[in-house]
Structure formats: C-alpha cells, structure tokens
mmCIF file of all heavy atoms in Angstrom:
data_model
loop_
_atom_site.group_PDB
_atom_site.id
_atom_site.type_symbol
_atom_site.label_atom_id
_atom_site.label_comp_id
_atom_site.label_asym_id
_atom_site.label_seq_id
_atom_site.Cartn_x
_atom_site.Cartn_y
_atom_site.Cartn_z
ATOM 1 N N THR A 1 0.833 -1.202 0.000
ATOM 2 C CA THR A 1 0.000 0.000 0.000
ATOM 3 C C THR A 1 0.864 1.247 0.000
ATOM 4 O O THR A 1 2.060 1.198 0.316
ATOM 5 C CB THR A 1 -0.902 0.036 1.244
ATOM 6 O OG1 THR A 1 -0.076 0.217 2.414
ATOM 7 C CG2 THR A 1 -1.717 -1.253 1.373
ATOM 8 N N ALA A 2 0.244 2.372 -0.326
ATOM 9 C CA ALA A 2 0.980 3.633 -0.374
ATOM 10 C C ALA A 2 1.542 4.003 0.995
ATOM 11 O O ALA A 2 2.694 4.448 1.108
ATOM 12 C CB ALA A 2 0.069 4.746 -0.893
ATOM 13 N N ASP A 3 0.756 3.812 2.059
ATOM 14 C CA ASP A 3 1.229 4.153 3.405
ATOM 15 C C ASP A 3 2.425 3.302 3.800
ATOM 16 O O ASP A 3 3.419 3.812 4.342
ATOM 17 C CB ASP A 3 0.098 3.972 4.423
ATOM 18 C CG ASP A 3 -0.982 5.034 4.272
ATOM 19 O OD1 ASP A 3 -0.704 6.061 3.613
ATOM 20 O OD2 ASP A 3 -2.097 4.828 4.789
ATOM 21 N N GLU A 4 2.332 1.997 3.544
ATOM 22 C CA GLU A 4 3.446 1.114 3.885
ATOM 23 C C GLU A 4 4.675 1.436 3.042
ATOM 24 O O GLU A 4 5.812 1.356 3.527
ATOM 25 C CB GLU A 4 3.037 -0.345 3.692
ATOM 26 C CG GLU A 4 2.006 -0.833 4.694
ATOM 27 C CD GLU A 4 1.527 -2.240 4.363
ATOM 28 O OE1 GLU A 4 0.625 -2.390 3.520
ATOM 29 O OE2 GLU A 4 2.087 -3.181 4.959
ATOM 30 N N ALA A 5 4.448 1.803 1.795
ATOM 31 C CA ALA A 5 5.573 2.146 0.924
ATOM 32 C C ALA A 5 6.272 3.407 1.406
ATOM 33 O O ALA A 5 7.508 3.485 1.422
ATOM 34 C CB ALA A 5 5.079 2.334 -0.505
ATOM 35 N N GLU A 6 5.497 4.402 1.809
ATOM 36 C CA GLU A 6 6.108 5.637 2.300
ATOM 37 C C GLU A 6 6.884 5.393 3.593
ATOM 38 O O GLU A 6 7.968 5.958 3.808
ATOM 39 C CB GLU A 6 5.033 6.695 2.509
ATOM 40 C CG GLU A 6 4.444 7.214 1.199
ATOM 41 C CD GLU A 6 3.345 8.236 1.417
ATOM 42 O OE1 GLU A 6 3.173 8.690 2.566
ATOM 43 O OE2 GLU A 6 2.648 8.575 0.449
ATOM 44 N N ALA A 7 6.351 4.536 4.463
ATOM 45 C CA ALA A 7 7.056 4.203 5.703
ATOM 46 C C ALA A 7 8.352 3.459 5.404
ATOM 47 O O ALA A 7 9.402 3.723 6.002
ATOM 48 C CB ALA A 7 6.153 3.367 6.610
ATOM 49 N N GLU A 8 8.305 2.521 4.469
ATOM 50 C CA GLU A 8 9.498 1.770 4.077
ATOM 51 C C GLU A 8 10.548 2.694 3.478
ATOM 52 O O GLU A 8 11.731 2.616 3.801
ATOM 53 C CB GLU A 8 9.122 0.683 3.071
ATOM 54 C CG GLU A 8 10.277 0.097 2.280
ATOM 55 C CD GLU A 8 11.320 -0.588 3.136
ATOM 56 O OE1 GLU A 8 10.961 -1.129 4.212
ATOM 57 O OE2 GLU A 8 12.504 -0.588 2.747
ATOM 58 N N PHE A 9 10.103 3.613 2.612
ATOM 59 C CA PHE A 9 11.043 4.524 1.976
ATOM 60 C C PHE A 9 11.665 5.469 2.998
ATOM 61 O O PHE A 9 12.849 5.800 2.916
ATOM 62 C CB PHE A 9 10.342 5.317 0.876
ATOM 63 C CG PHE A 9 11.282 6.163 0.073
ATOM 64 C CD1 PHE A 9 12.114 5.577 -0.863
ATOM 65 C CD2 PHE A 9 11.338 7.525 0.249
ATOM 66 C CE1 PHE A 9 13.002 6.347 -1.606
ATOM 67 C CE2 PHE A 9 12.213 8.307 -0.484
ATOM 68 C CZ PHE A 9 13.044 7.713 -1.423
ATOM 69 N N ALA A 10 10.881 5.904 3.972
ATOM 70 C CA ALA A 10 11.411 6.786 5.021
ATOM 71 C C ALA A 10 12.494 6.075 5.831
ATOM 72 O O ALA A 10 13.463 6.700 6.277
ATOM 73 C CB ALA A 10 10.283 7.249 5.933
ATOM 74 N N ARG A 11 12.345 4.763 6.027
ATOM 75 C CA ARG A 11 13.339 3.998 6.805
ATOM 76 C C ARG A 11 14.584 3.688 5.982
ATOM 77 O O ARG A 11 15.706 3.893 6.443
ATOM 78 C CB ARG A 11 12.723 2.679 7.282
ATOM 79 C CG ARG A 11 11.750 2.786 8.429
ATOM 80 C CD ARG A 11 11.433 1.407 9.000
ATOM 81 N NE ARG A 11 10.894 0.512 7.984
ATOM 82 C CZ ARG A 11 9.598 0.386 7.714
ATOM 83 N NH1 ARG A 11 8.712 1.110 8.387
ATOM 84 N NH2 ARG A 11 9.188 -0.452 6.780
ATOM 85 N N ASN A 12 14.377 3.163 4.768
ATOM 86 C CA ASN A 12 15.494 2.578 4.026
ATOM 87 C C ASN A 12 15.744 3.196 2.654
ATOM 88 O O ASN A 12 16.576 2.693 1.905
ATOM 89 C CB ASN A 12 15.254 1.072 3.844
ATOM 90 C CG ASN A 12 15.188 0.340 5.167
ATOM 91 O OD1 ASN A 12 16.036 0.544 6.029
ATOM 92 N ND2 ASN A 12 14.178 -0.502 5.334
ATOM 93 N N GLY A 13 15.031 4.266 2.324
ATOM 94 C CA GLY A 13 15.220 4.848 1.002
ATOM 95 C C GLY A 13 14.796 3.878 -0.087
ATOM 96 O O GLY A 13 13.811 3.159 0.058
ATOM 97 N N ASP A 14 15.554 3.816 -1.185
ATOM 98 C CA ASP A 14 15.151 2.997 -2.326
ATOM 99 C C ASP A 14 15.822 1.622 -2.339
ATOM 100 O O ASP A 14 15.857 0.957 -3.372
ATOM 101 C CB ASP A 14 15.442 3.731 -3.642
ATOM 102 C CG ASP A 14 16.929 4.064 -3.814
ATOM 103 O OD1 ASP A 14 17.750 3.545 -3.037
ATOM 104 O OD2 ASP A 14 17.256 4.836 -4.730
ATOM 105 N N ILE A 15 16.351 1.179 -1.185
ATOM 106 C CA ILE A 15 17.060 -0.098 -1.144
ATOM 107 C C ILE A 15 16.181 -1.245 -1.623
ATOM 108 O O ILE A 15 16.602 -2.080 -2.432
ATOM 109 C CB ILE A 15 17.570 -0.396 0.288
ATOM 110 C CG1 ILE A 15 18.638 0.625 0.704
ATOM 111 C CG2 ILE A 15 18.137 -1.809 0.370
ATOM 112 C CD1 ILE A 15 19.859 0.632 -0.160
ATOM 113 N N ARG A 16 14.942 -1.314 -1.163
ATOM 114 C CA ARG A 16 14.061 -2.412 -1.560
ATOM 115 C C ARG A 16 13.769 -2.365 -3.066
ATOM 116 O O ARG A 16 13.622 -3.402 -3.715
ATOM 117 C CB ARG A 16 12.746 -2.358 -0.776
ATOM 118 C CG ARG A 16 12.900 -2.543 0.721
ATOM 119 C CD ARG A 16 13.034 -4.013 1.097
ATOM 120 N NE ARG A 16 11.820 -4.758 0.883
ATOM 121 C CZ ARG A 16 10.778 -4.776 1.704
ATOM 122 N NH1 ARG A 16 10.809 -4.027 2.811
ATOM 123 N NH2 ARG A 16 9.720 -5.511 1.462
ATOM 124 N N LEU A 17 13.665 -1.149 -3.612
ATOM 125 C CA LEU A 17 13.429 -1.007 -5.046
ATOM 126 C C LEU A 17 14.648 -1.508 -5.822
ATOM 127 O O LEU A 17 14.521 -2.183 -6.850
ATOM 128 C CB LEU A 17 13.137 0.453 -5.382
ATOM 129 C CG LEU A 17 12.321 0.748 -6.651
ATOM 130 C CD1 LEU A 17 10.983 0.035 -6.627
ATOM 131 C CD2 LEU A 17 12.136 2.244 -6.815
ATOM 132 N N ARG A 18 15.841 -1.178 -5.321
ATOM 133 C CA ARG A 18 17.075 -1.662 -5.938
ATOM 134 C C ARG A 18 17.116 -3.188 -5.926
ATOM 135 O O ARG A 18 17.447 -3.832 -6.923
ATOM 136 C CB ARG A 18 18.294 -1.128 -5.197
ATOM 137 C CG ARG A 18 18.542 0.349 -5.344
ATOM 138 C CD ARG A 18 19.610 0.818 -4.355
ATOM 139 N NE ARG A 18 19.832 2.236 -4.501
ATOM 140 C CZ ARG A 18 20.669 2.781 -5.387
ATOM 141 N NH1 ARG A 18 21.369 2.002 -6.174
ATOM 142 N NH2 ARG A 18 20.807 4.081 -5.464
ATOM 143 N N GLN A 19 16.801 -3.755 -4.757
ATOM 144 C CA GLN A 19 16.876 -5.206 -4.621
ATOM 145 C C GLN A 19 15.870 -5.909 -5.533
ATOM 146 O O GLN A 19 16.142 -7.007 -6.031
ATOM 147 C CB GLN A 19 16.641 -5.601 -3.167
ATOM 148 C CG GLN A 19 17.774 -5.163 -2.233
ATOM 149 C CD GLN A 19 17.455 -5.425 -0.775
ATOM 150 O OE1 GLN A 19 16.289 -5.474 -0.385
ATOM 151 N NE2 GLN A 19 18.484 -5.564 0.047
ATOM 152 N N ALA A 20 14.715 -5.282 -5.775
ATOM 153 C CA ALA A 20 13.689 -5.904 -6.623
ATOM 154 C C ALA A 20 14.091 -5.921 -8.091
ATOM 155 O O ALA A 20 13.500 -6.664 -8.889
ATOM 156 C CB ALA A 20 12.362 -5.153 -6.461
ATOM 157 N N LEU A 21 15.084 -5.130 -8.470
ATOM 158 C CA LEU A 21 15.498 -5.097 -9.866
ATOM 159 C C LEU A 21 16.045 -6.446 -10.331
ATOM 160 O O LEU A 21 15.783 -6.870 -11.460
ATOM 161 C CB LEU A 21 16.576 -4.018 -10.075
ATOM 162 C CG LEU A 21 16.061 -2.597 -10.255
ATOM 163 C CD1 LEU A 21 17.193 -1.600 -10.055
ATOM 164 C CD2 LEU A 21 15.440 -2.425 -11.629
ATOM 165 N N LEU A 22 16.788 -7.115 -9.458
ATOM 166 C CA LEU A 22 17.440 -8.342 -9.897
ATOM 167 C C LEU A 22 16.459 -9.479 -10.162
ATOM 168 O O LEU A 22 16.537 -10.123 -11.219
ATOM 169 C CB LEU A 22 18.505 -8.770 -8.886
ATOM 170 C CG LEU A 22 19.472 -9.813 -9.421
ATOM 171 C CD1 LEU A 22 20.145 -9.333 -10.693
ATOM 172 C CD2 LEU A 22 20.529 -10.144 -8.383
ATOM 173 N N PRO A 23 15.519 -9.791 -9.262
ATOM 174 C CA PRO A 23 14.548 -10.831 -9.622
ATOM 175 C C PRO A 23 13.707 -10.452 -10.842
ATOM 176 O O PRO A 23 13.289 -11.323 -11.604
ATOM 177 C CB PRO A 23 13.684 -10.968 -8.368
ATOM 178 C CG PRO A 23 13.887 -9.710 -7.587
ATOM 179 C CD PRO A 23 15.297 -9.303 -7.889
ATOM 180 N N LEU A 24 13.479 -9.156 -11.036
ATOM 181 C CA LEU A 24 12.765 -8.695 -12.229
ATOM 182 C C LEU A 24 13.529 -9.089 -13.488
ATOM 183 O O LEU A 24 12.981 -9.702 -14.408
ATOM 184 C CB LEU A 24 12.599 -7.175 -12.153
ATOM 185 C CG LEU A 24 12.051 -6.478 -13.401
ATOM 186 C CD1 LEU A 24 10.584 -6.783 -13.562
ATOM 187 C CD2 LEU A 24 12.293 -4.979 -13.326
ATOM 188 N N VAL A 25 14.818 -8.755 -13.517
ATOM 189 C CA VAL A 25 15.637 -9.022 -14.700
ATOM 190 C C VAL A 25 15.852 -10.530 -14.890
ATOM 191 O O VAL A 25 15.842 -11.035 -16.015
ATOM 192 C CB VAL A 25 16.985 -8.281 -14.588
ATOM 193 C CG1 VAL A 25 17.918 -8.679 -15.721
ATOM 194 C CG2 VAL A 25 16.759 -6.771 -14.595
ATOM 195 N N THR A 26 16.041 -11.247 -13.784
ATOM 196 C CA THR A 26 16.249 -12.695 -13.881
ATOM 197 C C THR A 26 15.052 -13.377 -14.522
ATOM 198 O O THR A 26 15.193 -14.205 -15.438
ATOM 199 C CB THR A 26 16.499 -13.298 -12.491
ATOM 200 O OG1 THR A 26 17.659 -12.681 -11.911
ATOM 201 C CG2 THR A 26 16.722 -14.795 -12.580
ATOM 202 N N ARG A 27 13.856 -13.051 -14.081
ATOM 203 C CA ARG A 27 12.654 -13.661 -14.638
ATOM 204 C C ARG A 27 12.453 -13.260 -16.095
ATOM 205 O O ARG A 27 12.012 -14.062 -16.919
ATOM 206 C CB ARG A 27 11.432 -13.293 -13.782
ATOM 207 C CG ARG A 27 11.378 -14.103 -12.492
ATOM 208 C CD ARG A 27 10.592 -13.398 -11.404
ATOM 209 N NE ARG A 27 10.479 -14.217 -10.208
ATOM 210 C CZ ARG A 27 11.446 -14.411 -9.327
ATOM 211 N NH1 ARG A 27 12.639 -13.839 -9.523
ATOM 212 N NH2 ARG A 27 11.260 -15.162 -8.263
ATOM 213 N N ARG A 28 12.781 -12.036 -16.396
ATOM 214 C CA ARG A 28 12.656 -11.566 -17.773
ATOM 215 C C ARG A 28 13.613 -12.340 -18.688
ATOM 216 O O ARG A 28 13.243 -12.760 -19.787
ATOM 217 C CB ARG A 28 12.965 -10.076 -17.809
ATOM 218 C CG ARG A 28 12.568 -9.369 -19.080
ATOM 219 C CD ARG A 28 12.773 -7.887 -18.900
ATOM 220 N NE ARG A 28 14.170 -7.507 -18.941
ATOM 221 C CZ ARG A 28 14.675 -6.430 -18.357
ATOM 222 N NH1 ARG A 28 13.908 -5.631 -17.636
ATOM 223 N NH2 ARG A 28 15.951 -6.147 -18.466
ATOM 224 N N ARG A 29 14.826 -12.533 -18.220
ATOM 225 C CA ARG A 29 15.825 -13.252 -19.014
ATOM 226 C C ARG A 29 15.411 -14.689 -19.279
ATOM 227 O O ARG A 29 15.730 -15.259 -20.320
ATOM 228 C CB ARG A 29 17.171 -13.210 -18.277
ATOM 229 C CG ARG A 29 18.280 -13.995 -18.934
ATOM 230 C CD ARG A 29 19.610 -13.709 -18.250
ATOM 231 N NE ARG A 29 19.544 -13.915 -16.822
ATOM 232 C CZ ARG A 29 19.637 -15.094 -16.221
ATOM 233 N NH1 ARG A 29 19.765 -16.187 -16.936
ATOM 234 N NH2 ARG A 29 19.606 -15.189 -14.903
ATOM 235 N N LEU A 30 14.672 -15.289 -18.330
ATOM 236 C CA LEU A 30 14.246 -16.677 -18.468
ATOM 237 C C LEU A 30 12.920 -16.817 -19.215
ATOM 238 O O LEU A 30 12.418 -17.933 -19.400
ATOM 239 C CB LEU A 30 14.119 -17.316 -17.082
ATOM 240 C CG LEU A 30 15.422 -17.433 -16.282
ATOM 241 C CD1 LEU A 30 15.131 -17.959 -14.885
ATOM 242 C CD2 LEU A 30 16.422 -18.325 -17.000
ATOM 243 N N GLY A 31 12.324 -15.706 -19.633
ATOM 244 C CA GLY A 31 11.058 -15.770 -20.351
ATOM 245 C C GLY A 31 9.844 -15.875 -19.447
ATOM 246 O O GLY A 31 8.747 -16.162 -19.926
ATOM 247 N N ARG A 32 10.014 -15.623 -18.164
ATOM 248 C CA ARG A 32 8.885 -15.684 -17.222
ATOM 249 C C ARG A 32 8.306 -14.275 -17.096
ATOM 250 O O ARG A 32 8.397 -13.610 -16.072
ATOM 251 C CB ARG A 32 9.374 -16.251 -15.889
ATOM 252 C CG ARG A 32 9.791 -17.711 -16.034
ATOM 253 C CD ARG A 32 10.731 -18.234 -14.968
ATOM 254 N NE ARG A 32 10.154 -18.262 -13.633
ATOM 255 C CZ ARG A 32 10.671 -18.955 -12.614
ATOM 256 N NH1 ARG A 32 11.747 -19.712 -12.809
ATOM 257 N NH2 ARG A 32 10.118 -18.920 -11.430
ATOM 258 N N PHE A 33 7.695 -13.839 -18.197
ATOM 259 C CA PHE A 33 7.327 -12.430 -18.327
ATOM 260 C C PHE A 33 6.185 -12.027 -17.395
ATOM 261 O O PHE A 33 6.174 -10.901 -16.884
ATOM 262 C CB PHE A 33 6.965 -12.121 -19.782
ATOM 263 C CG PHE A 33 8.087 -12.381 -20.742
ATOM 264 C CD1 PHE A 33 7.933 -13.238 -21.813
ATOM 265 C CD2 PHE A 33 9.316 -11.766 -20.565
ATOM 266 C CE1 PHE A 33 8.961 -13.480 -22.696
ATOM 267 C CE2 PHE A 33 10.367 -12.002 -21.436
ATOM 268 C CZ PHE A 33 10.185 -12.863 -22.506
ATOM 269 N N GLU A 34 5.221 -12.882 -17.178
ATOM 270 C CA GLU A 34 4.119 -12.520 -16.300
ATOM 271 C C GLU A 34 4.610 -12.347 -14.875
ATOM 272 O O GLU A 34 4.179 -11.435 -14.160
ATOM 273 C CB GLU A 34 3.006 -13.571 -16.369
ATOM 274 C CG GLU A 34 1.786 -13.229 -15.524
ATOM 275 C CD GLU A 34 1.256 -11.821 -15.767
ATOM 276 O OE1 GLU A 34 1.196 -11.390 -16.940
ATOM 277 O OE2 GLU A 34 0.919 -11.131 -14.778
ATOM 278 N N GLU A 35 5.536 -13.191 -14.438
ATOM 279 C CA GLU A 35 6.118 -13.032 -13.101
ATOM 280 C C GLU A 35 6.888 -11.718 -13.015
ATOM 281 O O GLU A 35 6.840 -11.018 -11.988
ATOM 282 C CB GLU A 35 7.052 -14.197 -12.782
ATOM 283 C CG GLU A 35 6.355 -15.534 -12.636
ATOM 284 C CD GLU A 35 7.345 -16.644 -12.353
ATOM 285 O OE1 GLU A 35 8.308 -16.405 -11.615
ATOM 286 O OE2 GLU A 35 7.164 -17.760 -12.877
ATOM 287 N N ALA A 36 7.614 -11.388 -14.072
ATOM 288 C CA ALA A 36 8.358 -10.130 -14.092
ATOM 289 C C ALA A 36 7.414 -8.938 -14.024
ATOM 290 O O ALA A 36 7.656 -7.970 -13.282
ATOM 291 C CB ALA A 36 9.227 -10.058 -15.342
ATOM 292 N N MET A 37 6.324 -8.990 -14.790
ATOM 293 C CA MET A 37 5.365 -7.892 -14.767
ATOM 294 C C MET A 37 4.669 -7.791 -13.406
ATOM 295 O O MET A 37 4.310 -6.693 -12.959
ATOM 296 C CB MET A 37 4.333 -8.073 -15.870
ATOM 297 C CG MET A 37 4.872 -7.796 -17.273
ATOM 298 S SD MET A 37 5.477 -6.094 -17.468
ATOM 299 C CE MET A 37 3.947 -5.176 -17.323
#
C-alpha cells in the first residue's frame, strides 16, 4: 500500500526497489514475463 511504501522509503530509502530489480531481470531473461510484470 501507499502508506506502507512511504514508511518503508522513510526507513530505508530505495534499497528495496534496488533489490527488486534483480529478480525482475532474472525472470525476464528466463522468459517468465508474467512473473516479471
């Protein structure tokens, strides 16, 4: 949710967003496009 996201960002900045990039790219590379989306 937006509230939880703002609280997370206030604590850790964009670290979680950075970390989510790798599973996104990994699934995309393997053709698991719906999981990536």
Side-chain angles (χ1 to χ4, degrees):
T1 68
D3 289 344
E4 291 174 277
E6 290 178 10
E8 163 62 30
F9 187 75
R11 285 192 303 270
N12 298 313
D14 60 11
I15 294 299
R16 297 279 291 280
L17 205 56
R18 291 169 180 274
Q19 292 174 334
L21 278 164
L22 195 56
L24 172 72
V25 173
T26 301
R27 283 156 176 76
R28 194 173 75 206
R29 176 171 53 81
L30 296 175
R32 293 159 65 164
F33 300 123
E34 183 51 42
E35 293 179 38
M37 287 300 293

